Amino acid sequence: MVLGCSDCCSHTGYDAIGNTGPRFGVRHLQCILVFFGLAVAYALRVNLSVAIVAMTDSNHTNPAFPEFPWDESIKSYLLSSFFWGYVVTQVPGGYLSAIIGAKYMLFFGVLICSCLALLTPFCALTGGWKLVVVLRAVQGLCQGVIFPSTHTFLSKWAPAEERGRLVGYCYSGSQFGTVIMLSVSGYIASSSLGWPSIFYISGCAGILWSLIWIYLCASTPAQHSTITPNERRYIETSGQLRRPSDAGREEFAAHQKLRTPWIRIFTSLPFLSLLLAHCANNWGFWTLLTQIPTFMKSVLGMDIKHNGPLSALPYFAMILLTCFFIWLSDMLKRNGSSMSLSFSRKLFNSIGLWLPMLALLGLGFITQGSANAKLAIGLLTLAVATNSASYLGFHVNHIDLSPNFAGTLMGITNCAANVMSILAPLIVGLIVTDETNPTQWRIVFYFTAFVYFVGNLVFIVFGRFTVQPWNNPSSRQTRAVPVDGHENTERAPLIDS
C-alpha cells in the first residue's frame, strides 16, 4: 500500500512535509533502471579491455576467429581512445540534461554507444585499429553525457531523506556491469561464439535497456504518467518547508530556465573542494586499477590481467561494501544518531579516500613471494572496495550544493577527474623506468597516497553540504530547508499569497 505524506502545521505558517514515502514506488523503479543503465554503460566501456586479449592472441581463446598483430603501443591507443571523447561531453551533457531532460540524454547516449559496439568487429576487420580508435572515441563522446545526466536525473527523483542511499545503489551499477563483463568475457571468447560476440552481446543488452528506459522512464516525477499524487508530492517537497498557498507553484518553477551561474560556481570554495576531492579520487582509483596489475606481474610475478574472475574481485567487493555503507548510514539515522549531514558526508568520504591511502602505503612495503602476492591482492581489493564509501561522500555532494545544477557540476568535476585518470598512468610511466624495481613503485604508491590525503583533507575543511545561494540565481530571500533531517539553506523567492 502506498503511504501518503503527512502534514503538520508549524507556527511559521508553513506545512512541514513528512519524512515518509512509499516503501516501493515509481522512484525506486527509476533507480533500478538507472542501476542497469550504468551496468550496461560500463559493460560497453570495458568490453574492449577484455576482448583485446582474444583479438591479439587467439591461441588462448578460439583460433577460428581472426587475430590482429597489434603491439602494446597500438593497444594503448585503442584502450585510451574512449577517454578522448569521454572528457569532451561531460559539461555539455550536464547542461543539456537540465534543458531537454536527463531521460533523453541517457537514452541516446546508451543507444548510440550500443549500436557502435555492434559495429566494432566489422570496423576491426575492414578498417584496422585506426578505425576502431575512431569508433571508441565516438563511444566516449556518447558516454560522456551519462554521469552528468544521471546526477541531473537523481536530483529530480531522489528525495532528500533517501538521497545518499539511492545515489549509492544507482552508481553501484557501474561496478555490477564491470564484474559481469570481466567474469564472462573470457568464457565467451573461448566458446564457439568467439570474441566478436563480446561486442554483440553487450551492444544488444544496451539496445534492450534503451527501449525499456524510454518506455518506463520520465525526467521528473511531474512528467511520469503512473506516479501517484502522494509519491509525487513526497519527492517534490521532501525535506522542505512549504506554505499551503505555495501548492501548485513547484511545477511552474520547474519550467523556468535558470541561467547557469558559471562565475559563481567556479569561485565557490565548497565546489572547488568538491572538484579537488573528485580529482584525487580518480587519480588514486585509476592508479590502483591500471598500475597494480603491472606491479604484481613485474615485481611479484603474478599475472591477474588475464584472470577474469580475479580481475573482477575488487569490483565485486565494491558492490558488497556499497550495500554495507548504505545500510550503516541508514542504521545510524534510524537509531536516532545525532550525526549531522556534514559529519556523515565527511566520515564516509574519509573512509572512501583514506582507507585506500593506507592500503597504498602497505603495498609499498610488499616484496616478491607468493604470500606477499596474496597480501597484495587483498590490499588491492580492500582499497578499491572501501572507495565505495565515497558514494555517500563527495559523489552526492553535487546535489547537496545545487539540485538545479547538479548535472552541470558533475560534468565539470567528472571532466577534470577523468583528465587525472589520463595523466596518472603517464606520471607513473615517468617515475617507473624499471618495472621490476620495487623502490620506484614505492614512490608511485606514496605519491598517490599523498594525493588521496590532500584531496580528502581539503574536502573536510572546506566542503559544505547545504544548498548554495547560486543554486537559484534569481532568488531574493533565503529560507531554511532541512535536508536528511538537518537544517539546510536554500535561496528561493517567497511569494505572498
Side-chain angles (χ1 to χ4, degrees):
M1 182 177 70
V2 177
L3 301 176
C5 302
S6 59
D7 298 337
C8 56
C9 297
S10 66
H11 66 278
T12 61
Y14 285 81
D15 292 339
I17 305 302
N19 290 331
T20 59
R23 288 186 177 274
F24 187 87
V26 173
R27 69 189 185 282
H28 298 107
L29 174 62
Q30 305 299 294
C31 289
I32 290 173
L33 290 172
V34 171
F35 172 90
F36 283 106
L38 292 179
V40 167
Y42 264 69
L44 292 166
R45 179 186 297 196
V46 304
N47 56 11
L48 182 62
S49 301
V50 289
I52 200 169
V53 177
M55 296 171 73
T56 55
D57 187 5
S58 60
N59 292 328
H60 288 80
T61 53
N62 190 334
F65 290 87
E67 179 180 331
F68 301 94
W70 296 336
D71 58 23
E72 291 301 320
S73 176
I74 292 176
K75 288 181 184 178
S76 66
Y77 282 116
L78 289 166
L79 295 176
S80 64
S81 57
F82 178 92
F83 294 96
W84 302 350
Y86 187 73
V87 298
V88 172
T89 51
Q90 293 288 327
V91 178
Y95 180 76
L96 290 174
S97 66
I99 296 177
I100 67 175
K103 169 183 178 178
Y104 298 104
M105 295 299 294
L106 287 166
F107 171 73
F108 287 113
V110 174
L111 180 64
I112 297 173
C113 187
S114 301
C115 294
L116 292 173
L118 297 177
L119 295 175
T120 305
F122 173 79
C123 291
L125 292 170
T126 59
W129 67 271
K130 293 181 180 179
L131 186 56
V132 177
V133 164
V134 173
L135 181 142
R136 290 290 292 179
V138 177
Q139 283 188 303
L141 288 171
C142 296
Q143 286 216 21
V145 307
I146 289 179
F147 267 30
S149 298
T150 298
H151 250 51
T152 298
F153 185 81
L154 291 174
S155 71
K156 307 299 183 185
W157 277 98
E161 294 83 1
E162 303 174 10
R163 183 176 295 160
R165 181 194 318 153
L166 295 181
V167 168
Y169 282 136
C170 286
Y171 278 98
S172 65
S174 57
Q175 278 71 54
F176 180 76
T178 304
V179 168
I180 296 299
M181 185 55 62
L182 291 178
S183 300
V184 306
S185 291
Y187 299 105
I188 295 174
S190 300
S191 70
S192 59
L193 299 173
W195 62 259
S197 59
I198 295 175
F199 300 101
Y200 297 149
I201 292 174
S202 58
C204 290
I207 293 173
L208 177 62
W209 177 87
S210 300
L211 296 176
I212 296 173
W213 172 263
I214 199 68
Y215 180 72
L216 295 178
C217 171
S219 293
T220 66
Q223 296 171 357
H224 202 281
S225 60
T226 62
I227 192 171
T228 64
N230 283 340
E231 185 180 7
R232 176 184 167 184
R233 183 170 182 266
Y234 167 65
I235 295 171
E236 293 180 339
T237 59
S238 173
Q240 298 184 17
L241 297 175
R242 194 184 79 162
R243 292 182 299 185
S245 58
D246 289 337
R249 288 177 177 161
E250 291 89 350
E251 187 170 351
F252 170 76
H255 286 84
Q256 290 183 317
K257 303 301 182 184
L258 299 176
R259 296 183 62 182
T260 305
W262 297 106
I263 295 178
R264 299 183 72 183
I265 289 175
F266 281 105
T267 55
S268 169
L269 193 57
F271 171 72
L272 294 177
S273 67
L274 165 62
L275 176 66
L276 183 60
H278 199 160
C279 289
N281 176 80
N282 273 41
W283 182 288
F285 187 78
W286 288 104
T287 298
L288 281 167
L289 290 180
T290 61
Q291 302 303 315
I292 294 302
T294 304
F295 164 76
M296 295 181 67
K297 180 180 180 180
S298 303
V299 177
L300 305 180
M302 186 174 186
D303 188 3
I304 66 170
K305 279 188 176 180
H306 298 84
N307 188 327
L310 192 58
S311 299
L313 178 61
Y315 297 101
F316 180 70
M318 195 175 186
I319 296 173
L320 297 180
L321 276 191
T322 298
C323 297
F324 169 75
F325 289 131
I326 292 172
W327 170 83
L328 178 61
S329 176
D330 288 345
M331 185 191 69
L332 292 174
K333 292 177 185 177
R334 284 196 303 267
N335 290 345
S337 171
S338 58
M339 182 174 67
S340 67
L341 176 66
S342 174
F343 183 81
S344 174
R345 294 281 191 261
K346 293 177 181 180
L347 170 65
F348 285 106
N349 206 70
S350 297
I351 294 172
L353 270 66
W354 280 356
L355 283 186
M357 175 193 73
L358 296 176
L360 281 166
L361 294 176
L363 283 167
F365 290 98
I366 291 180
T367 55
Q368 192 168 6
S370 59
N372 287 339
K374 295 178 181 178
L375 177 60
I377 292 175
L379 288 174
L380 172 62
T381 303
L382 176 67
V384 174
T386 53
N387 183 257
S388 63
S390 63
Y391 286 143
L392 299 169
F394 82 85
H395 215 84
V396 73
N397 192 225
H398 310 77
I399 306 177
D400 292 333
L401 296 178
S402 177
N404 286 334
F405 303 109
T408 300
L409 299 188
M410 172 56 91
I412 296 170
T413 64
N414 206 35
C415 176
N418 277 279
V419 172
M420 297 299 105
S421 303
I422 296 172
L423 290 178
L426 299 178
I427 299 299
V428 171
L430 294 176
I431 297 173
V432 180
T433 56
D434 179 8
E435 292 184 349
T436 62
N437 188 339
T439 303
Q440 293 181 356
W441 282 106
R442 193 170 296 143
I443 296 173
V444 171
F445 297 150
Y446 289 170
F447 179 75
T448 305
F450 174 75
V451 171
Y452 265 139
F453 177 79
V454 172
N456 186 58
L457 181 64
V458 171
F459 186 75
I460 289 175
V461 175
F462 299 107
R464 296 294 180 268
F465 312 94
T466 55
V467 177
Q468 297 301 292
W470 40 265
N471 176 62
N472 191 349
S474 62
S475 62
R476 297 182 301 277
Q477 295 181 353
T478 305
R479 70 181 183 216
V481 179
V483 176
D484 287 351
H486 305 282
E487 185 171 320
N488 196 355
T489 56
E490 179 178 3
R491 302 279 297 184
L494 301 182
I495 305 172
D496 294 331
S497 56

